[in-house]
Amino acid sequence: MSPPANANLSGDRPTFTSHLECSTTGKRYPADRLHGLSAAGKPLLVRYDLAALAQALSKETLAARPADMWRYREFLPVRQSENIVSLGEPMTPLVSLPICARALGVGEILVKDESRLPTGSFKARGLCLAVSMAKELGVSRMAMPTNGNAGAALAAYASRCGIEAYVFCPEDTPDVNVREIALQGAKVWKVNGLIHDCGKIVGEGKERMDWFDISTLKEPYRIEGKKTMGLELAEQLGWNVPDAIFYPTGGGTGLIGMWKAFAELEEIGWLDEERPNMVCVQASGCAPIVKAWQDGADHAELWPDAHTIAAGIRVPVALGDFMILAAVRESGGYAIAAPDSEIAAAQQEVATRDGLLMGPEGATTYAALRRAVGEGRVGRGDQVVLFNCGTSLKYPMPEVARFIDRHQPIDYDAIAAG
Ligand SMILES: *Cc1c(COP(=O)(O)O)cnc(C)c1O
Protein backbone atom coordinates (compact mmCIF):
# COMPACT_ATOMS: atom_id res chain seq x y z
CA MET A 1 0.00 0.00 0.00
CA SER A 2 1.37 3.43 -0.83
CA PRO A 3 1.69 5.95 2.01
CA PRO A 4 -0.90 8.75 2.27
CA ALA A 5 -0.02 11.82 0.20
CA ASN A 6 0.69 14.01 3.22
CA ALA A 7 2.74 11.42 5.11
CA ASN A 8 5.92 13.48 4.82
CA LEU A 9 4.26 16.46 6.52
CA SER A 10 2.93 14.79 9.63
CA GLY A 11 4.12 12.60 12.45
CA ASP A 12 7.25 12.77 14.49
CA ARG A 13 10.32 12.49 12.33
CA PRO A 14 13.56 13.07 14.21
CA THR A 15 15.55 16.19 13.24
CA PHE A 16 19.29 16.61 13.33
CA THR A 17 20.26 20.29 13.21
CA SER A 18 23.24 20.76 15.52
CA HIS A 19 24.20 24.40 14.94
CA LEU A 20 24.73 27.14 12.40
CA GLU A 21 28.12 28.16 11.07
CA CYS A 22 29.51 31.29 9.42
CA SER A 23 30.39 30.47 5.79
CA THR A 24 33.59 32.51 6.07
CA THR A 25 34.94 32.38 9.64
CA GLY A 26 33.43 29.05 10.73
CA LYS A 27 32.13 30.69 13.91
CA ARG A 28 29.30 28.64 15.46
CA TYR A 29 25.85 29.94 16.27
CA PRO A 30 23.08 28.17 18.18
CA ALA A 31 20.28 26.56 16.18
CA ASP A 32 16.59 27.25 16.89
CA ARG A 33 17.06 31.02 17.13
CA LEU A 34 16.35 33.68 14.58
CA HIS A 35 19.48 34.59 12.61
CA GLY A 36 20.28 36.82 9.66
CA LEU A 37 23.89 37.14 8.58
CA SER A 38 26.85 36.16 10.76
CA ALA A 39 28.75 38.73 12.81
CA ALA A 40 31.18 38.93 9.85
CA GLY A 41 28.27 39.91 7.58
CA LYS A 42 28.41 36.57 5.73
CA PRO A 43 25.79 33.87 5.07
CA LEU A 44 25.17 31.28 7.77
CA LEU A 45 25.06 27.57 6.93
CA VAL A 46 23.01 24.96 8.80
CA ARG A 47 24.99 22.02 10.17
CA TYR A 48 23.58 18.63 11.13
CA ASP A 49 24.58 15.64 13.21
CA LEU A 50 25.06 13.58 10.08
CA ALA A 51 26.29 10.49 11.93
CA ALA A 52 23.00 10.32 13.81
CA LEU A 53 21.08 11.05 10.61
CA ALA A 54 22.80 8.13 8.89
CA GLN A 55 21.76 5.86 11.77
CA ALA A 56 18.14 7.00 11.59
CA LEU A 57 17.48 6.95 7.85
CA SER A 58 18.10 4.40 5.12
CA LYS A 59 17.80 4.75 1.35
CA GLU A 60 15.05 2.10 1.45
CA THR A 61 12.97 4.03 3.98
CA LEU A 62 13.36 7.12 1.88
CA ALA A 63 12.37 5.30 -1.32
CA ALA A 64 9.01 4.30 0.17
CA ARG A 65 7.95 7.87 0.98
CA PRO A 66 5.67 10.11 -1.12
CA ALA A 67 7.55 11.88 -3.92
CA ASP A 68 7.81 15.40 -2.58
CA MET A 69 10.39 17.75 -1.10
CA TRP A 70 9.50 16.83 2.47
CA ARG A 71 10.64 13.23 1.98
CA TYR A 72 14.06 14.68 2.90
CA ARG A 73 12.80 15.88 6.26
CA GLU A 74 15.80 14.53 8.16
CA PHE A 75 18.12 16.70 6.05
CA LEU A 76 16.05 19.82 6.84
CA PRO A 77 15.93 22.03 9.92
CA VAL A 78 12.19 22.30 10.76
CA ARG A 79 11.67 20.70 14.20
CA GLN A 80 7.88 20.59 14.55
CA SER A 81 5.69 19.12 11.81
CA GLU A 82 2.95 21.66 12.51
CA ASN A 83 5.30 24.44 11.41
CA ILE A 84 5.67 23.05 7.88
CA VAL A 85 3.97 25.44 5.47
CA SER A 86 3.38 23.43 2.30
CA LEU A 87 1.55 23.96 -0.97
CA GLY A 88 2.55 20.49 -2.23
CA GLU A 89 6.16 20.57 -3.48
CA PRO A 90 6.47 17.63 -5.88
CA MET A 91 9.72 15.93 -6.85
CA THR A 92 10.36 17.45 -10.26
CA PRO A 93 10.98 15.22 -13.28
CA LEU A 94 14.19 14.79 -15.25
CA VAL A 95 13.03 15.31 -18.83
CA SER A 96 15.40 14.04 -21.51
CA LEU A 97 16.11 16.00 -24.70
CA PRO A 98 17.08 13.17 -27.08
CA ILE A 99 16.84 15.13 -30.32
CA CYS A 100 18.85 18.07 -28.99
CA ALA A 101 21.43 15.68 -27.53
CA ARG A 102 21.94 14.00 -30.89
CA ALA A 103 22.18 17.38 -32.63
CA LEU A 104 24.79 18.69 -30.16
CA GLY A 105 26.69 15.39 -29.91
CA VAL A 106 26.17 14.98 -26.15
CA GLY A 107 25.51 11.57 -24.58
CA GLU A 108 22.42 12.55 -22.62
CA ILE A 109 20.76 15.86 -21.79
CA LEU A 110 18.34 15.81 -18.86
CA VAL A 111 16.34 18.86 -17.84
CA LYS A 112 15.36 19.08 -14.19
CA ASP A 113 12.04 20.78 -14.76
CA GLU A 114 11.52 22.99 -11.75
CA SER A 115 8.67 24.89 -13.39
CA ARG A 116 6.28 22.34 -11.89
CA LEU A 117 6.65 23.61 -8.35
CA PRO A 118 4.09 25.88 -6.63
CA THR A 119 4.14 29.44 -8.08
CA GLY A 120 5.90 28.04 -11.16
CA SER A 121 9.53 28.22 -10.06
CA PHE A 122 12.11 26.58 -7.84
CA LYS A 123 11.99 29.63 -5.59
CA ALA A 124 9.19 27.65 -3.94
CA ARG A 125 11.76 25.22 -2.48
CA GLY A 126 13.73 27.94 -0.72
CA LEU A 127 10.77 29.99 0.44
CA CYS A 128 8.76 26.95 1.58
CA LEU A 129 11.64 26.12 3.92
CA ALA A 130 12.45 29.69 4.95
CA VAL A 131 8.83 30.57 5.70
CA SER A 132 8.36 27.33 7.66
CA MET A 133 11.43 28.20 9.76
CA ALA A 134 10.22 31.78 10.17
CA LYS A 135 6.94 30.41 11.48
CA GLU A 136 8.80 28.06 13.84
CA LEU A 137 10.92 30.96 15.13
CA GLY A 138 7.99 33.35 15.60
CA VAL A 139 8.44 35.84 12.75
CA SER A 140 5.33 37.86 11.92
CA ARG A 141 6.56 40.22 9.17
CA MET A 142 9.08 39.69 6.36
CA ALA A 143 10.49 41.65 3.43
CA MET A 144 12.58 40.94 0.33
CA PRO A 145 13.80 42.34 -2.97
CA THR A 146 12.95 40.18 -5.99
CA ASN A 147 13.08 39.90 -9.78
CA GLY A 148 9.65 38.26 -9.52
CA ASN A 149 9.71 34.55 -8.74
CA ALA A 150 11.07 34.75 -5.20
CA GLY A 151 8.48 37.40 -4.34
CA ALA A 152 5.69 35.22 -5.70
CA ALA A 153 6.82 32.25 -3.64
CA LEU A 154 7.24 34.38 -0.51
CA ALA A 155 3.76 35.86 -0.99
CA ALA A 156 2.15 32.44 -1.35
CA TYR A 157 3.83 30.75 1.63
CA ALA A 158 3.62 33.78 3.90
CA SER A 159 -0.10 34.23 3.22
CA ARG A 160 -0.68 30.57 3.91
CA CYS A 161 0.59 30.91 7.49
CA GLY A 162 -0.51 34.46 8.26
CA ILE A 163 2.90 36.16 8.04
CA GLU A 164 2.87 39.67 6.57
CA ALA A 165 5.07 40.05 3.45
CA TYR A 166 6.57 43.20 1.86
CA VAL A 167 8.08 42.81 -1.60
CA PHE A 168 10.18 45.24 -3.70
CA CYS A 169 10.73 44.67 -7.46
CA PRO A 170 12.69 46.49 -10.17
CA GLU A 171 10.14 48.56 -12.11
CA ASP A 172 10.65 46.54 -15.31
CA THR A 173 9.79 43.24 -13.61
CA PRO A 174 7.26 41.46 -15.86
CA ASP A 175 3.75 42.62 -14.91
CA VAL A 176 2.53 39.07 -14.46
CA ASN A 177 5.02 38.61 -11.59
CA VAL A 178 4.05 41.82 -9.84
CA ARG A 179 0.35 41.03 -10.14
CA GLU A 180 0.87 37.46 -8.99
CA ILE A 181 2.67 38.71 -5.88
CA ALA A 182 -0.16 41.12 -5.07
CA LEU A 183 -2.86 38.55 -5.75
CA GLN A 184 -1.18 36.13 -3.34
CA GLY A 185 -1.49 38.65 -0.55
CA ALA A 186 1.87 40.43 -0.28
CA LYS A 187 2.30 44.20 -0.31
CA VAL A 188 4.35 44.85 -3.43
CA TRP A 189 6.15 47.95 -4.76
CA LYS A 190 7.94 48.64 -8.03
CA VAL A 191 11.23 50.49 -7.59
CA ASN A 192 13.21 52.48 -10.20
CA GLY A 193 16.36 50.42 -9.75
CA LEU A 194 17.72 46.89 -9.89
CA ILE A 195 17.40 44.07 -7.36
CA HIS A 196 20.31 45.25 -5.18
CA ASP A 197 18.73 48.73 -5.03
CA CYS A 198 15.53 47.07 -3.82
CA GLY A 199 17.59 45.10 -1.30
CA LYS A 200 18.88 48.35 0.15
CA ILE A 201 15.32 49.50 0.86
CA VAL A 202 14.70 46.30 2.80
CA GLY A 203 17.98 46.57 4.74
CA GLU A 204 17.60 50.23 5.63
CA GLY A 205 13.94 49.83 6.62
CA LYS A 206 14.60 47.14 9.20
CA GLU A 207 14.38 49.32 12.28
CA ARG A 208 11.36 51.38 11.24
CA MET A 209 9.43 48.42 9.81
CA ASP A 210 10.56 45.66 12.18
CA TRP A 211 10.56 43.13 9.37
CA PHE A 212 12.71 40.04 8.95
CA ASP A 213 14.98 40.30 5.89
CA ILE A 214 14.44 37.16 3.80
CA SER A 215 16.73 38.29 0.92
CA THR A 216 18.83 35.65 -0.86
CA LEU A 217 21.44 34.27 1.58
CA LYS A 218 20.68 36.89 4.25
CA GLU A 219 18.96 34.19 6.26
CA PRO A 220 20.17 30.56 6.56
CA TYR A 221 17.21 28.50 5.36
CA ARG A 222 16.54 29.25 1.68
CA ILE A 223 19.77 27.36 0.91
CA GLU A 224 18.43 24.34 2.79
CA GLY A 225 15.28 24.35 0.66
CA LYS A 226 17.29 24.63 -2.55
CA LYS A 227 19.56 21.86 -1.25
CA THR A 228 16.72 19.42 -1.90
CA MET A 229 17.44 19.81 -5.64
CA GLY A 230 20.78 18.08 -5.08
CA LEU A 231 19.28 15.38 -2.83
CA GLU A 232 16.52 14.75 -5.36
CA LEU A 233 18.83 14.69 -8.35
CA ALA A 234 21.19 12.19 -6.69
CA GLU A 235 18.29 9.95 -5.69
CA GLN A 236 16.72 10.13 -9.17
CA LEU A 237 20.05 9.07 -10.69
CA GLY A 238 20.27 6.04 -8.36
CA TRP A 239 22.54 7.83 -5.83
CA ASN A 240 24.87 9.05 -8.51
CA VAL A 241 25.72 12.46 -9.92
CA PRO A 242 25.80 13.46 -13.60
CA ASP A 243 28.99 14.51 -15.41
CA ALA A 244 27.95 18.17 -15.42
CA ILE A 245 25.25 20.43 -14.01
CA PHE A 246 24.46 23.64 -15.89
CA TYR A 247 22.86 26.06 -13.46
CA PRO A 248 21.41 29.50 -14.36
CA THR A 249 23.03 31.58 -11.66
CA GLY A 250 21.65 34.73 -10.08
CA GLY A 251 22.28 34.79 -6.33
CA GLY A 252 23.55 31.23 -6.64
CA THR A 253 21.49 29.72 -3.82
CA GLY A 254 20.73 26.61 -5.84
CA LEU A 255 24.30 25.95 -6.89
CA ILE A 256 25.55 26.46 -3.33
CA GLY A 257 22.68 24.34 -1.98
CA MET A 258 23.34 21.42 -4.33
CA TRP A 259 27.05 21.53 -3.54
CA LYS A 260 26.15 21.30 0.14
CA ALA A 261 23.77 18.41 -0.55
CA PHE A 262 26.48 16.39 -2.30
CA ALA A 263 28.89 16.96 0.60
CA GLU A 264 26.29 15.83 3.16
CA LEU A 265 25.44 12.75 1.07
CA GLU A 266 29.11 11.83 0.83
CA GLU A 267 29.50 12.23 4.57
CA ILE A 268 26.72 9.70 5.24
CA GLY A 269 28.16 7.36 2.61
CA TRP A 270 25.39 7.65 0.01
CA LEU A 271 27.65 9.24 -2.62
CA ASP A 272 31.35 8.74 -3.29
CA GLU A 273 33.79 11.62 -3.79
CA GLU A 274 32.80 11.92 -7.46
CA ARG A 275 31.30 15.36 -8.23
CA PRO A 276 29.64 16.78 -11.31
CA ASN A 277 31.34 19.71 -13.02
CA MET A 278 29.33 22.59 -11.59
CA VAL A 279 28.80 25.01 -14.46
CA CYS A 280 27.76 28.52 -13.49
CA VAL A 281 25.67 29.93 -16.35
CA GLN A 282 24.87 33.63 -16.70
CA ALA A 283 23.60 35.97 -19.41
CA SER A 284 26.24 38.07 -21.20
CA GLY A 285 24.38 41.24 -20.16
CA CYS A 286 24.86 40.38 -16.48
CA ALA A 287 27.78 38.03 -15.88
CA PRO A 288 29.68 39.09 -12.73
CA ILE A 289 30.51 35.52 -11.66
CA VAL A 290 31.71 34.57 -15.14
CA LYS A 291 34.03 37.57 -15.13
CA ALA A 292 35.37 36.73 -11.68
CA TRP A 293 35.95 33.12 -12.74
CA GLN A 294 37.83 34.25 -15.84
CA ASP A 295 39.90 36.69 -13.76
CA GLY A 296 40.73 34.01 -11.19
CA ALA A 297 39.15 36.16 -8.46
CA ASP A 298 37.54 34.91 -5.24
CA HIS A 299 34.86 37.60 -5.24
CA ALA A 300 32.88 39.23 -8.05
CA GLU A 301 32.54 42.94 -8.74
CA LEU A 302 29.20 44.68 -9.22
CA TRP A 303 28.14 44.35 -12.87
CA PRO A 304 27.22 47.78 -14.28
CA ASP A 305 24.11 48.34 -16.47
CA ALA A 306 22.85 44.80 -16.06
CA HIS A 307 20.34 43.75 -18.70
CA THR A 308 19.02 40.43 -20.07
CA ILE A 309 15.73 38.82 -21.08
CA ALA A 310 16.49 36.16 -18.44
CA ALA A 311 15.13 38.32 -15.60
CA GLY A 312 15.62 35.69 -12.89
CA ILE A 313 19.40 35.81 -13.31
CA ARG A 314 19.74 39.57 -13.59
CA VAL A 315 21.64 39.86 -10.32
CA PRO A 316 24.53 42.36 -10.56
CA VAL A 317 26.03 41.47 -7.18
CA ALA A 318 25.73 38.24 -5.18
CA LEU A 319 26.43 37.92 -1.46
CA GLY A 320 27.42 34.27 -1.98
CA ASP A 321 29.80 34.95 -4.90
CA PHE A 322 32.76 33.36 -3.08
CA MET A 323 30.82 30.16 -2.39
CA ILE A 324 29.65 29.89 -6.02
CA LEU A 325 33.21 30.37 -7.27
CA ALA A 326 34.61 27.86 -4.78
CA ALA A 327 32.08 25.19 -5.78
CA VAL A 328 32.74 25.78 -9.49
CA ARG A 329 36.51 25.49 -8.98
CA GLU A 330 36.47 22.52 -6.60
CA SER A 331 34.19 20.63 -8.98
CA GLY A 332 36.43 21.16 -11.99
CA GLY A 333 33.61 23.16 -13.52
CA TYR A 334 33.59 26.51 -15.24
CA ALA A 335 31.49 29.67 -15.69
CA ILE A 336 30.03 30.60 -19.04
CA ALA A 337 27.78 33.35 -20.42
CA ALA A 338 25.44 33.45 -23.42
CA PRO A 339 23.93 36.54 -25.08
CA ASP A 340 20.17 37.17 -25.25
CA SER A 341 20.07 36.30 -28.97
CA GLU A 342 21.40 32.80 -28.21
CA ILE A 343 19.06 32.45 -25.23
CA ALA A 344 16.03 33.15 -27.43
CA ALA A 345 17.31 30.77 -30.11
CA ALA A 346 17.93 28.07 -27.49
CA GLN A 347 14.40 28.42 -26.14
CA GLN A 348 12.98 27.91 -29.61
CA GLU A 349 15.34 25.05 -30.46
CA VAL A 350 14.48 22.98 -27.39
CA ALA A 351 10.75 23.67 -27.73
CA THR A 352 10.53 22.79 -31.43
CA ARG A 353 12.87 19.79 -31.28
CA ASP A 354 11.98 18.11 -28.01
CA GLY A 355 8.72 19.82 -27.04
CA LEU A 356 9.90 21.33 -23.77
CA LEU A 357 9.28 25.06 -23.38
CA MET A 358 12.00 26.34 -21.06
CA GLY A 359 11.94 29.74 -19.41
CA PRO A 360 14.62 32.16 -20.60
CA GLU A 361 16.84 31.32 -17.59
CA GLY A 362 16.57 27.59 -18.31
CA ALA A 363 17.16 28.23 -22.00
CA THR A 364 20.36 30.06 -21.02
CA THR A 365 21.74 26.74 -19.78
CA TYR A 366 21.09 25.15 -23.18
CA ALA A 367 22.73 28.08 -24.96
CA ALA A 368 25.71 27.68 -22.60
CA LEU A 369 25.84 23.93 -23.23
CA ARG A 370 25.99 24.59 -26.97
CA ARG A 371 28.97 26.90 -26.36
CA ALA A 372 30.65 24.44 -23.98
CA VAL A 373 30.36 21.66 -26.56
CA GLY A 374 31.90 24.00 -29.15
CA GLU A 375 34.81 24.67 -26.77
CA GLY A 376 35.35 20.94 -26.21
CA ARG A 377 34.36 21.09 -22.54
CA VAL A 378 31.69 18.37 -22.77
CA GLY A 379 32.52 14.77 -23.73
CA ARG A 380 30.48 12.92 -26.37
CA GLY A 381 29.31 10.35 -23.85
CA ASP A 382 28.59 12.79 -21.03
CA GLN A 383 25.38 12.94 -19.06
CA VAL A 384 24.49 16.58 -18.56
CA VAL A 385 21.75 18.06 -16.37
CA LEU A 386 20.27 21.47 -17.20
CA PHE A 387 18.04 23.35 -14.77
CA ASN A 388 14.78 24.84 -16.01
CA CYS A 389 14.07 26.93 -12.97
CA GLY A 390 10.80 28.58 -13.82
CA THR A 391 7.86 28.41 -16.13
CA SER A 392 8.14 30.19 -19.48
CA LEU A 393 4.46 31.07 -19.20
CA LYS A 394 5.19 34.11 -17.03
CA TYR A 395 7.20 35.72 -19.85
CA PRO A 396 6.07 37.47 -23.00
CA MET A 397 6.25 35.13 -26.00
CA PRO A 398 6.48 35.92 -29.72
CA GLU A 399 3.20 37.16 -31.18
CA VAL A 400 1.11 34.98 -33.50
CA ALA A 401 -0.70 36.99 -36.18
CA ARG A 402 -2.42 34.27 -38.25
CA PHE A 403 -6.19 34.70 -38.29
CA ILE A 404 -9.18 32.96 -39.87
CA ASP A 405 -12.46 34.71 -40.67
CA ARG A 406 -14.91 31.81 -40.34
CA HIS A 407 -17.55 33.71 -42.36
CA GLN A 408 -15.36 33.48 -45.48
CA PRO A 409 -14.50 30.28 -47.37
CA ILE A 410 -11.68 28.56 -45.48
CA ASP A 411 -8.44 28.56 -47.46
CA TYR A 412 -7.04 25.11 -46.62
CA ASP A 413 -4.24 25.53 -49.15
CA ALA A 414 -2.96 28.44 -47.07
CA ILE A 415 -3.32 26.35 -43.87
CA ALA A 416 -1.46 23.43 -45.47
CA ALA A 417 1.32 25.80 -46.53
CA GLY A 418 1.64 26.79 -42.85
C1 LIG B 1 15.96 33.06 -9.04
C2 LIG B 1 16.01 32.39 -10.33
C3 LIG B 1 17.21 31.90 -10.84
C4 LIG B 1 18.53 32.04 -10.10
O1 LIG B 1 18.55 31.25 -8.95
P1 LIG B 1 19.68 31.41 -7.83
O2 LIG B 1 19.71 30.10 -7.13
O3 LIG B 1 19.27 32.53 -6.95
O4 LIG B 1 20.96 31.70 -8.52
C5 LIG B 1 17.19 31.26 -12.06
N1 LIG B 1 16.05 31.11 -12.76
C6 LIG B 1 14.86 31.55 -12.30
C7 LIG B 1 13.63 31.33 -13.11
C8 LIG B 1 14.80 32.21 -11.07
O5 LIG B 1 13.62 32.66 -10.62
Side-chain angles (χ1 to χ4, degrees), residues 47-295:
R47 297 299 180 202
Y48 300 87
D49 181 348
L50 291 170
L53 190 162
Q55 287 291 314
L57 184 65
S58 69
K59 292 178 193 172
E60 294 69 33
T61 304
L62 193 59
R65 293 180 178 172
D68 66 46
M69 178 178 121
W70 290 99
R71 71 201 266 106
Y72 303 111
R73 180 77 189 276
E74 286 87 346
F75 292 90
L76 299 173
V78 182
R79 301 278 194 198
Q80 306 293 332
S81 292
E82 70 258 25
N83 292 325
I84 294 178
V85 185
S86 172
L87 288 161
E89 297 72 33
M91 268 178 111
T92 61
L94 285 170
V95 182
S96 71
L97 303 182
I99 300 172
C100 288
R102 228 171 299 134
L104 288 193
V106 174
E108 187 177 28
I109 304 175
L110 297 170
V111 177
K112 185 103 174 108
D113 190 8
E114 297 281 297
S115 69
R116 318 217 181 177
L117 286 155
T119 67
S121 88
F122 69 174
K123 291 293 193 303
R125 292 185 191 266
L127 273 308
C128 177
L129 217 298
V131 171
S132 297
M133 285 307 292
K135 181 182 175 196
E136 188 152 277
L137 299 172
V139 172
S140 59
R141 180 184 280 186
M142 320 207 256
M144 69 151 52
T146 179
N147 282 323
N149 286 326
L154 171 63
Y157 288 102
S159 288
R160 192 167 175 82
C161 66
I163 292 179
E164 222 185 327
Y166 290 78
V167 175
F168 302 89
C169 315
E171 64 183 329
D172 59 353
T173 300
D175 247 345
V176 63
N177 292 90
V178 181
R179 293 173 191 202
E180 179 193 10
I181 293 166
L183 199 52
Q184 286 170 153
K187 301 190 175 80
V188 58
W189 280 265
K190 295 190 217 180
V191 178
N192 54 351
L194 294 181
I195 188 164
H196 59 291
D197 302 308
C198 297
K200 226 168 140 194
I201 295 173
V202 172
E204 289 173 359
K206 234 179 250 181
E207 214 150 293
R208 164 71 179 84
M209 298 301 297
D210 197 25
W211 56 37
F212 183 66
D213 186 345
I214 195 159
S215 303
T216 303
L217 300 182
K218 288 192 180 162
E219 60 76 55
Y221 302 112
R222 285 175 63 182
I223 292 186
E224 295 303 297
K226 287 270 194 89
K227 184 180 84 177
T228 60
M229 294 191 294
L231 301 174
E232 221 174 274
L233 182 60
E235 188 178 10
Q236 285 172 313
L237 297 177
W239 300 110
N240 282 303
V241 294
D243 294 299
I245 293 177
F246 281 65
Y247 186 80
T249 310
T253 330
L255 195 149
I256 297 164
M258 282 192 280
W259 193 243
K260 186 170 187 284
F262 299 147
E264 290 175 359
L265 289 172
E266 184 184 351
E267 201 162 325
I268 63 169
W270 292 11
L271 283 182
D272 58 23
E273 70 286 343
E274 200 78 24
R275 290 289 184 278
N277 293 332
M278 301 299 284
V279 183
C280 166
V281 176
Q282 299 197 300
S284 304
C286 182
I289 306 290
V290 176
K291 181 168 186 305
W293 182 75
Q294 287 167 346
D295 293 348

Side-chain angles (χ1 to χ4, degrees), residues 283-340:
S284 304
C286 182
I289 306 290
V290 176
K291 181 168 186 305
W293 182 75
Q294 287 167 346
D295 293 348
D298 293 333
H299 285 83
E301 283 164 32
L302 185 135
W303 187 271
D305 303 322
H307 61 90
T308 168
I309 54 171
I313 52 174
R314 192 180 61 173
V315 179
V317 57
L319 194 59
D321 54 359
F322 65 102
M323 286 189 277
I324 302 169
L325 287 159
V328 168
R329 292 204 174 101
E330 283 168 36
S331 74
Y334 41 95
I336 194 165
D340 280 3

Side-chain angles (χ1 to χ4, degrees), residues 347-364:
Q347 193 178 29
Q348 189 170 36
E349 191 171 312
V350 175
T352 53
R353 283 184 175 164
D354 281 304
L356 185 70
L357 188 54
M358 299 174 93
E361 300 84 4
T364 309

